[in-house]
């Protein structure tokens, strides 16, 4: 019985991993570009904001810098074709993006918590800074929270499709 083309694996006719410029044109690897953009925005926003709770926001900074650097390195390695079509690299890709998704989920929740805590302690902050400066920092933290959740979503989608690619290779 012939296989139904609609149920055939989408990765069956290709190498498990693209290389060269195909990396930024193939799904899910094209998601590395918005992962870098949103991760970089989280990094910039938290770095420029008022740090009210060093431990949670330190974790957010660690996650954003770690994921930015390793996503960039992984993208460069894929573009250079270091994987040579090996399915092991597909597993590395799935494992890394799964780890990054979990890291970003925890960082997103902690950044949202820090933002809520900042709003709840507004009177304390207004003793040290003016209300316009407080509002600027508060808005930066809101944006960092939103972008961290977007990065979490991107890394999660990338994990799912990388795991499917790894399983089919």
């Amino acid at each position: 019985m012939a296989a139904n083309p609609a149920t055939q694996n989408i990765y069956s006719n290709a190498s498990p991993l693209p290389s060269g410029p195909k990396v930024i044109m193939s799904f899910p690897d094209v998601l590395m570009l918005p992962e870098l953009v949103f991760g970089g925005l989280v990094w910039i926003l938290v770095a420029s904001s008022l740090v009210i709770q060093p431990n949670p926001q330190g974790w957010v900074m660690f996650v954003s810098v770690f994921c930015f650097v390793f996503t960039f390195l992984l993208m460069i390695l894929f573009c250079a074709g270091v994987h040579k079509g090996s399915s092991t690299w597909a597993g590395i890709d799935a494992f890394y993006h799964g780890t990054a998704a979990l890291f970003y989920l925890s960082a997103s929740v902690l950044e949202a918590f820090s933002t809520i805590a900042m709003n709840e302690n507004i009177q304390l902050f207004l003793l040290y800074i003016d209300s316009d400066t407080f509002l600027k920092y508060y808005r930066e933290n809101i944006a960092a929270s939103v972008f961290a959740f977007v990065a979490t979503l991107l890394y999660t989608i990338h994990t799912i499709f990388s795991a499917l690619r790894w399983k089919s290779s």
Side-chain angles (χ1 to χ4, degrees), residues 124-145:
L124 177 66
F125 288 106
L126 293 178
L127 294 173
Y128 302 103
I129 58 175
D130 63 289
S131 60
D132 290 337
T133 304
F134 173 81
L135 189 58
K136 173 187 164 276
Y137 289 140
Y138 183 63
R139 287 178 178 165
E140 285 177 353
N141 279 319
I142 291 171
S145 297

Side-chain angles (χ1 to χ4, degrees), residues 2 6 8-9 20-22 28 34-36 40 53-55 64 66 72 81 97 120 128-129 132 139 141 150 162 169:
Q8 270 187 329
N9 188 337
K22 291 180 183 176
E35 289 165 2
L36 288 171
Q53 296 174 328
N55 286 340
S64 61
F66 173 84
F72 184 74
H97 281 91
E120 289 177 352
Y128 302 103
I129 58 175
D132 290 337
R139 287 178 178 165
N141 279 319
V150 170
S162 291
S169 64

Side-chain angles (χ1 to χ4, degrees), residues 14-98:
S15 171
L17 294 171
S19 60
K22 291 180 183 176
V23 170
I24 59 171
M25 292 184 271
S26 65
F27 191 80
D29 299 313
V30 70
L31 293 175
M32 283 193 228
L33 296 174
E35 289 165 2
L36 288 171
V37 169
F38 286 104
L41 285 171
V42 172
W43 178 4
I44 291 166
L45 288 167
V46 172
S48 68
S49 179
L50 178 67
V51 176
I52 55 169
Q53 296 174 328
N55 286 340
Q57 289 187 304
W59 175 250
V60 175
M61 280 296 292
F62 168 77
V63 168
S64 61
V65 172
F66 173 84
C67 290
F68 185 90
V69 168
F70 277 91
T71 300
F72 184 74
L73 287 174
L74 196 62
M75 187 173 71
I76 294 300
L77 290 172
F78 282 5
C79 285
V82 172
H83 55 76
K84 298 188 188 316
S86 171
S87 65
T88 304
W89 279 87
I92 291 169
D93 183 42
F95 177 77
Y96 164 71
H97 281 91

Side-chain angles (χ1 to χ4, degrees), residues 99-163:
T99 303
L102 288 174
F103 277 13
Y104 254 113
L105 179 61
S106 66
S108 302
V109 170
L110 288 173
E111 182 60 28
F113 171 76
S114 295
T115 304
I116 292 168
M118 187 177 190
N119 187 40
E120 289 177 352
N121 297 315
I122 187 171
Q123 297 304 323
L124 177 66
F125 288 106
L126 293 178
L127 294 173
Y128 302 103
I129 58 175
D130 63 289
S131 60
D132 290 337
T133 304
F134 173 81
L135 189 58
K136 173 187 164 276
Y137 289 140
Y138 183 63
R139 287 178 178 165
E140 285 177 353
N141 279 319
I142 291 171
S145 297
V146 170
F147 292 147
F149 279 109
V150 170
T152 302
L153 179 64
L154 289 168
Y155 277 105
T156 303
I157 292 168
H158 198 142
T159 300
I160 292 167
F161 285 98
S162 291

